[in-house]
Amino acid sequence: RMQEYDIIVLGTGLKECVLSGLMSLSGKKVLHIDKNPYYGGESASISPLEELYRRFKVHGPPKSMGLGKEWNVDLIPKFFLANLMGMFDKRRFRKLLNFVLNFESRNPRTHQDVDPEKTTTRELFSRFDLGQDVIDFTGHAIALHCNESYLDQPCLDTINRIKLYCESLSRHSFSPYLYPLYGQGELPQGFARLSAEYGGAFLMNRTIDEIVMENGKVKAVKSEGKEFHCKQLICDPSYVPNRVRKIGRVIRVICLLNHPVKNTHDASSCQIILPQSQFNRKSDIYISVVSYGHSVASDGLYIATVSTTAETITPEKEVQPGLELLEPILQKFVTVNNLLVPNEDGRKSQIFVSRSYDGANHFETDCEDIKDLYHRLTGAQLCFLKSRHQSHNSDDD
């Protein structure tokens, strides 16, 4: 007898596990299959340290790195730009923040004659007489825009992004970001457990033989001689190479350190963003740093990752400004991966493919991808900010 499911999910990356959890939570019968023996896919955390060295075909690790089992190294870390402002810059920036925090899209009295749908972000910044350094800081480190195109777009999106950053910062005082102990790989596992709690089934370390189609729509997945029927399929690009296209490349350099990053007040973790405009680039350079304080490295040791969208045939030279901030570096591991996106939206074939992870070290674009996939899958809008207890019957939960 054929085994039938509402949805089959291929891959246990964060996006796939979030969607798997949401679908199971809404009552769908879900089967999750992964060709790997571990959770996380591209976004996995590698442990022990010896496995990371083997993966990159590097001899080691040396004994000075401590016990291998104490390490959990994110392959694609996601989670502050140190920039001093002059006295007048601080006053102007404060006025902007006060405007943003008091802004309510449905209350014109809070708009101060700014039309959020017509006034560009460039015009908004000019209104508050912000200098270029402050604009770079606000646009890239706070609003988390990845390029300069936002400046000529309506300012509503940037206002909402700044407000989200400020509200997140006020919740935890020291940082607007959260990062899980034992590495980012804990996140997909958490959503996988949510899926399993609501009836989702998991098959790990399974070969995918074929995706069976009928009249242009997905019908089943064949795995190791067994056929599993489904109405919809969710997967990452690696499972359907004929359904994705390359739009660029991303370079990531994982660096192991025995010291905190200079000029960060010996912080055990930080995010550093080097705005594109300061280096004549089209893309920002991102640096994420975590350490033994997060149970991802041996005592006194740090993991830093430098990443960006590659713009030349020598991508490692492009991240050199970031690497220079981390010196001395004990060991580097370099990857250059294709940035892949689906060829079609999936509504016709009912095969819904996630995008590759970009060069940013925060989840903004990935959250947008999850929301977009959810909308195409269900026809409903997904709101991350809505609390579950508000409506136990809504798919939006």
Side-chain angles (χ1 to χ4, degrees), residues 218-231:
V218 65
K219 178 185 178 182
V221 172
K222 286 184 179 179
S223 172
E224 298 183 3
K226 293 185 178 181
E227 193 166 297
F228 305 92
H229 280 217
C230 64
K231 299 170 185 175

Side-chain angles (χ1 to χ4, degrees), residues 216-369:
K217 287 189 176 183
V218 65
K219 178 185 178 182
V221 172
K222 286 184 179 179
S223 172
E224 298 183 3
K226 293 185 178 181
E227 193 166 297
F228 305 92
H229 280 217
C230 64
K231 299 170 185 175
Q232 294 178 306
L233 178 71
I234 303 170
C235 61
D236 71 49
S238 69
Y239 289 88
V240 286
N242 60 325
R243 292 180 176 272
V244 295
R245 69 182 189 277
K246 174 185 172 182
I247 61 170
R249 296 186 302 160
V250 175
I251 178 171
R252 294 182 182 88
V253 184
I254 299 171
C255 304
L256 307 185
L257 315 175
N258 61 2
H259 59 87
V261 179
K262 299 183 188 78
N263 303 317
T264 62
H265 304 289
D266 295 340
S268 61
S269 66
C270 66
Q271 179 196 51
I272 302 169
I273 300 175
L274 307 181
Q276 57 189 56
S277 60
Q278 298 188 14
F279 294 92
N280 262 338
R281 292 176 48 77
K282 298 177 182 177
S283 308
D284 293 346
I285 300 172
Y286 297 89
I287 305 170
S288 64
V289 182
V290 290
S291 68
Y292 60 96
H294 306 89
S295 300
V296 296
S298 293
D299 190 41
L301 300 178
Y302 298 73
I303 304 167
T305 301
V306 184
S307 60
T308 192
T309 300
E311 299 175 4
T312 69
I313 60 173
T314 55
E316 196 165 350
K317 289 184 179 179
E318 298 181 52
V319 295
Q320 197 57 39
L323 295 175
E324 289 173 359
L325 296 179
L326 304 178
E327 294 290 356
I329 298 170
L330 297 176
Q331 181 65 56
K332 293 188 298 185
F333 305 93
V334 182
T335 61
V336 180
N337 297 319
N338 290 334
L339 187 56
L340 303 172
V341 299
N343 289 329
E344 43 105 14
D345 63 16
R347 289 186 174 97
K348 183 178 180 181
S349 65
Q350 291 298 293
I351 296 176
F352 302 92
V353 187
S354 62
R355 298 170 62 102
S356 297
Y357 293 94
D358 61 19
N361 60 4
H362 53 76
F363 275 116
E364 286 302 295
T365 53
D366 303 305
C367 287
E368 291 303 315
D369 193 27

